[in-house]
Amino acid sequence: MISAKDFLKYLSAGTLFGFVLMKSEVVSWFRIQEMFRFDSFHMYGIIGLAIFVGLISVQIIKRKNVKDLEGNIITIPPKDPKQVTRYIVGGSMFGLGWALLGACPGPMFALLGSGITIIIVPILAALAGTWTYGALRTKLPH
Amino acid sequence: MFDLLTQPWPWYIAGPIVGLTVPMLLIMGGKMFGISENLRHACAACNIGNVEFFNYDWKKNGAWNLTFLIGVVFGGFLGGYIFANPEPIQLAASTINDLRELGITDFTGFVPAELFTWEVLGSGTGLIVLVLGGFLVGFGARYAGGCTSGHAISGLSDLQLASLIAVIGFFIGGLLMTWFIYPIIL
């Protein structure tokens, strides 16, 4: 299923990400309320700088044909921008949930680790939402 | 050193580390950073009702990402429990005033006690926030093909127009909830 080496690799990357989510308070329901009220630069600074650093890294990786640790050239599959409906409607539904719950998927799991056990309820609800999308997918406009 | 780990990190430290997750996963094994895919992998692992969207080899496609997710939980344990910041979050005064008016009184933790305890599940408000909020996050993320990590961070890092449209959607929904719907619910 996954080698011990891969397990440790991805586990460490996830641990670092979860740790930063906590230390930067991105996991906080309050920070999300503050962000959507435009009351603080905090969240915008984090997301903006994350995109900036990601953008530069991805451009270097693409232009220099960088290989991954397994020796394969890194390719990034493009997303189809013609499916506007799914991005606007699906995105808005996600946004409603993000502001209501005050957490997106990463923070939900980091909060679970921090000992806020009630977050199991929204995690199960998110699984139900994912399943419902899968069941209705062919009937929804994309 | 212990202080450094318990103190909150400013945006200019946290932002670049979050951004570095993208090249880190690409270099580790050509993987695209995206957390909500794991919710699909979990559905594929259970595959209740034999839905076509969940009929794929989740072990082959998703084992790395589920491992990453275990790491996120562990990182949450380290950052939010072992090295927990004892001080309340330094929120903008205007947000605190707004939320006070909506009936939120406890600003000590990551989440308000009024909405995030097992007891409030019995109330209508608790159910709406936790169950409907979670459901919309799960449904919306798959409908849009990604969440904050997959679209806002990974997708925009790759200059994907689709991700920009999705992020605009995230803000349409988020602003509607914050400014118009939340004041009715609370």
Side-chain angles (χ1 to χ4, degrees):
Chain A
M1 189 161 136
I2 186 165
S3 67
K5 195 185 84 188
D6 279 355
F7 184 84
L8 284 177
K9 239 169 34 181
Y10 296 118
L11 186 76
S12 334
T15 304
L16 177 66
F17 179 64
F19 193 79
V20 182
L21 289 183
M22 288 319 266
K23 287 293 116 189
S24 58
E25 298 162 344
V26 170
V27 298
S28 164
W29 180 92
F30 298 106
R31 284 287 190 201
I32 304 303
Q33 304 305 316
E34 190 185 51
M35 172 182 83
F36 282 126
R37 283 180 166 77
F38 303 106
D39 279 348
S40 165
F41 181 70
H42 185 78
M43 288 293 301
Y44 296 100
I46 292 174
I47 298 174
L49 263 186
I51 295 168
F52 180 72
V53 169
L55 188 102
I56 290 175
S57 321
V58 167
Q59 293 311 311
I60 293 173
I61 286 172
K62 279 182 152 178
R63 276 161 212 217
K64 303 269 176 196
N65 289 322
V66 174
K67 287 177 180 164
D68 65 23
L69 294 176
E70 281 143 36
N72 303 311
I73 288 187
I74 296 169
T75 51
I76 303 174
K79 297 178 169 75
D80 180 9
K82 287 188 212 74
Q83 299 182 335
V84 176
T85 313
R86 77 176 294 184
Y87 298 123
I88 285 290
V89 178
S92 299
M93 290 176 77
F94 176 82
L96 286 167
W98 186 14
L100 182 59
L101 181 64
C104 47
M108 277 160 60
F109 287 90
L111 283 171
L112 179 66
S114 80
I116 298 170
T117 54
I118 187 72
I119 208 79
I120 289 170
V121 174
I123 289 175
L124 290 174
L127 284 168
T130 304
W131 187 87
T132 308
Y133 167 75
L136 299 179
R137 190 174 67 107
T138 50
K139 297 184 184 74
L140 294 168
H142 284 75
Chain B
M1 185 65 190
F2 193 80
D3 271 5
L4 196 72
L5 291 175
T6 54
Q7 274 168 9
W9 294 358
W11 57 270
Y12 50 86
I13 303 287
I17 303 177
V18 171
L20 282 175
T21 311
V22 176
M24 203 190 317
L25 291 175
L26 284 171
I27 287 168
M28 280 180 172
K31 309 297 187 198
M32 265 321 253
F33 175 43
I35 298 277
S36 66
E37 272 291 305
N38 286 309
L39 298 168
R40 184 182 178 189
H41 297 324
C43 286
C46 305
N47 203 358
I48 303 162
N50 197 28
V51 174
E52 195 226 323
F53 187 62
F54 303 118
N55 281 331
Y56 63 92
D57 189 350
W58 65 273
K59 289 182 190 166
K60 186 169 171 280
N61 293 302
W64 76 269
N65 208 345
L66 289 163
T67 308
F68 183 86
L69 191 69
I70 297 170
V72 174
V73 176
F74 184 57
F77 171 68
L78 290 178
Y81 189 81
I82 301 287
F83 299 106
N85 173 21
E87 302 295 323
I89 294 172
Q90 299 290 309
L91 291 164
S94 43
T95 300
I96 294 182
N97 285 339
D98 260 22
L99 294 174
R100 277 229 170 88
E101 276 178 31
L102 292 174
I104 303 289
T105 53
D106 181 0
F107 293 82
T108 54
F110 284 118
V111 292
E114 286 86 354
L115 299 172
F116 286 79
T117 52
W118 287 97
E119 290 76 41
V120 300
L121 260 190
S123 76
T125 313
L127 271 181
I128 291 173
V129 171
L130 299 172
V131 178
L132 185 63
F135 186 90
L136 284 169
V137 164
F139 189 100
R142 263 323 23 81
Y143 196 176
C147 60
T148 328
S149 52
H151 274 311
I153 313 283
S154 290
L156 290 184
S157 288
D158 189 32
L159 298 172
Q160 294 285 328
L161 177 61
S163 294
L164 182 64
I165 304 171
V167 172
I168 292 170
F170 295 172
F171 272 84
I172 294 174
L175 293 174
L176 274 176
M177 178 58 67
T178 305
W179 291 88
F180 300 105
I181 308 176
Y182 235 135
I184 303 170
I185 299 172
L186 276 176

